[in-house]
Amino acid sequence: MRAYDLVVVGSGPAGQKAAVQAAKLSKRVAIIERARQLGGASLNTGTLPSKTLKDTIEYVHGLRRRGLAQLGAALTRQLTLPDLMTRKDQVIETEVGVITHQLQRNHIDIIPGTAAFLDPHTLSVTRSDGQIDQVRASTIILATGSRPRRPSEIPFDDLIICDSDSFLRTTMNPTSIIVIGGGVIGTEYASMLAAFGINVTLIDRRTQMLRFLDLEIAQALEAQMQQNGVTMRLGQEYLDISVDRTARPTVHFQHGEAVTADMLLYTMGRVGNIEALNLGAIGLTTDQQGQLSVNAHYQTDLLHIYATGDVIGFPALAATAMEQGRLAACHAFQLPDTHKPNVIPYGIYSIPEVSMVGLHEEELTAANIPYATGRAFFREMARGHISGDLHGLLKVIFHRETHALLGVHIIGAGATELIHIGQSVLTYGGTVEYFVHNVFNYPTMAECYRTAALDGLNRLLHPHS
């Protein structure tokens, strides 16, 4: 039996950062990973592959915006969905190498196999050849991630009816696709596939996409997706999904209506990867989504066992998972003065991108906080015309009396990069005047901050202008 100061179960973003942080504190660390390669869902089936697809598609899509529609159309005709997957595989391979080297450089043992608790400090590890090892640790961090929910009534065959994992292995080159689920994953795939020229129908029983977004931004995204060719079927419950005689998936609605396409992508929810852990042996339980509850330090009910990342639920982002893993390791080994960020940006890698930080209008209204807004449209920026990005919007929200920045909401190309300017000002308690009194490079989209700030302050001085 091997003994460690820390054993991390799972090598996704949370697991990596937890292990590296502990290693930097000169602890003996091991990572247990059951998948064929390191990186977890984020690297292999989630964040990285979907963003690589989006980036490649947006490059082609951007040719049209820049007045090169014929070239963009010619490229789209030549490219297939499997072509895009090849680029995605190259990026994954490179990143796996980077992560493996990082763990090895920090002298972290990598143990392949499936972990299960024998007692609160001991794990058995079953390797692919059936061999079983045992490891013991004073601290254990669970970072096992999540997988797509696959209801039994959905006839998945992972060829024409896929979840977000199996879709990335597709050999199909569809001309039409149905996406079920208007959450972040469904929205990202629906928007990027439509931009690639595939006929997309997005179905969700909710009447509004992405309810955590500022309503104005969510409505702008919906309008842009429709303009790019996505057919929206929001607020509609479907009865069942079947495969017709031509081997095409069909979604049946109430009142006898049906929609048929070449492929169907199901993106309704994810569940935590906890089944193999044998949590019952140590008295830990999960909710229906397979998620563990933790305290402010990411400790479970057994205080030497921590949980981070997707397995503890919202926000389930790679960026937040990294920080949760690092903070959990810091707390476990009494590293003082660790700063826990409370200003976290959110990014949706749709086409167009959406990003936000801080509070939105609906939250401020509900809390009776007096606020003002300022807007800058990408079409007002010289850079917007250079890049052809004319439909974007950056909105700043600030306190009506103190002018303290309260939130920034962006839709448009590069939104997930632009948001960090607002994040910095928000983190350090700045006012909207910061954007007015500072110089931005010209021409850039960052100038939107100054334009939006001036717009908001002008509205306060001249409310009816």
Side-chain angles (χ1 to χ4, degrees), residues 185-230:
I185 296 171
T187 298
E188 288 181 348
Y189 275 114
S191 65
M192 73 173 78
L193 294 172
F196 190 57
I198 296 172
N199 293 319
V200 178
T201 301
L202 177 64
I203 300 170
D204 196 294
R205 62 176 176 267
R206 293 163 291 195
T207 55
Q208 182 195 324
M209 296 166 45
L210 307 172
R211 293 185 180 182
F212 60 90
L213 290 181
D214 180 272
L215 181 59
E216 181 180 10
I217 298 295
Q219 290 174 339
L221 175 60
E222 186 177 332
Q224 276 294 293
M225 287 174 62
Q226 288 176 315
Q227 188 173 328
N228 287 340
V230 179

Side-chain angles (χ1 to χ4, degrees), residues 413-465:
T416 56
E417 295 282 359
L418 275 175
I419 200 69
H420 297 117
I421 298 171
Q423 179 190 5
S424 297
V425 176
L426 197 59
T427 298
Y428 289 100
T431 67
V432 73
E433 278 82 4
Y434 170 87
F435 304 124
V436 176
H437 298 150
N438 282 274
V439 176
F440 293 88
N441 280 331
Y442 174 86
T444 61
M445 298 312 296
E447 292 177 88
C448 282
Y449 278 100
R450 192 165 194 269
T451 300
L454 287 167
D455 175 62
L457 292 170
N458 184 59
R459 287 171 185 270
L460 277 184
L461 291 172
H462 310 286
H464 302 297
S465 64

Side-chain angles (χ1 to χ4, degrees), residues 153-155 161 180 238-243 249-252 264 266:
E153 67 270 16
I154 308 295
I161 300 180
I180 295 185
Y238 67 88
L239 289 176
D240 67 79
I241 298 168
S242 62
V243 178
T250 301
V251 178
H252 301 272
L264 184 144
Y266 186 90

Side-chain angles (χ1 to χ4, degrees), residues 256-380:
E257 195 182 356
V259 177
T260 300
D262 295 336
M263 283 186 74
L264 184 144
L265 173 59
Y266 186 90
T267 65
M268 292 284 285
R270 294 180 70 84
V271 293
N273 295 323
I274 45 84
E275 293 81 2
L277 287 172
N278 192 28
L279 294 176
I282 57 171
L284 289 182
T285 58
T286 64
D287 64 14
Q288 288 185 324
Q289 280 73 48
Q291 294 169 354
L292 287 156
S293 60
V294 293
N295 65 15
H297 303 294
Y298 307 105
Q299 293 169 294
T300 65
D301 291 341
L302 297 176
L303 297 184
H304 72 286
I305 298 178
Y306 294 72
T308 57
D310 281 14
V311 80
I312 63 171
F314 186 84
L317 301 169
T320 53
M322 292 178 188
E323 190 63 1
Q324 289 168 1
R326 187 186 73 82
L327 290 170
C330 288
H331 184 266
F333 299 109
Q334 291 87 47
L335 184 67
D337 299 324
T338 55
H339 173 70
K340 185 173 182 178
N342 54 13
V343 178
I344 297 172
Y346 294 88
I348 300 169
Y349 292 83
S350 48
I351 297 178
E353 283 185 1
V354 172
S355 198
M356 61 172 281
V357 68
L359 300 172
H360 57 62
E361 287 197 61
E362 291 70 38
E363 290 171 315
L364 292 165
T365 300
N368 291 316
I369 297 173
Y371 70 89
T373 62
R375 293 168 179 77
F377 296 91
F378 284 20
R379 64 176 179 269
E380 300 173 306

Side-chain angles (χ1 to χ4, degrees), residues 70-188:
Q70 286 183 316
L71 179 57
L75 273 175
T76 302
R77 283 194 299 271
Q78 293 175 39
L79 288 171
T80 65
L81 199 53
D83 290 334
L84 300 183
M85 298 298 180
T86 301
R87 165 70 179 152
K88 172 262 302 180
D89 293 338
Q90 292 169 347
V91 173
I92 290 174
E93 184 179 350
T94 301
E95 282 300 302
V96 168
V98 169
I99 290 166
T100 303
H101 178 66
Q102 182 191 39
L103 297 177
Q104 291 171 340
R105 191 175 68 239
N106 284 281
H107 309 293
I108 296 164
D109 287 352
I110 301 168
I111 304 174
T114 301
F117 280 99
L118 296 176
D119 63 51
H121 285 277
T122 310
L123 291 157
S124 70
V125 184
T126 305
R127 297 176 181 260
S128 57
D129 61 4
Q131 179 183 336
I132 299 177
D133 298 326
Q134 288 187 13
V135 295
R136 188 168 177 82
S138 55
T139 301
I140 296 169
I141 296 180
L142 302 178
T144 51
S146 65
R147 64 186 184 279
R149 192 170 69 89
R150 289 171 67 102
S152 57
E153 67 270 16
I154 308 295
F156 290 103
D157 63 1
D158 297 326
L159 179 64
I160 63 168
I161 300 180
C162 300
D163 61 25
S164 55
D165 282 7
S166 57
F167 177 74
L168 292 167
R169 302 189 298 270
T170 187
T171 55
M172 296 277 289
N173 188 39
T175 60
S176 59
I177 189 166
I178 298 166
V179 178
I180 295 185
V184 173
I185 296 171
T187 298
E188 288 181 348

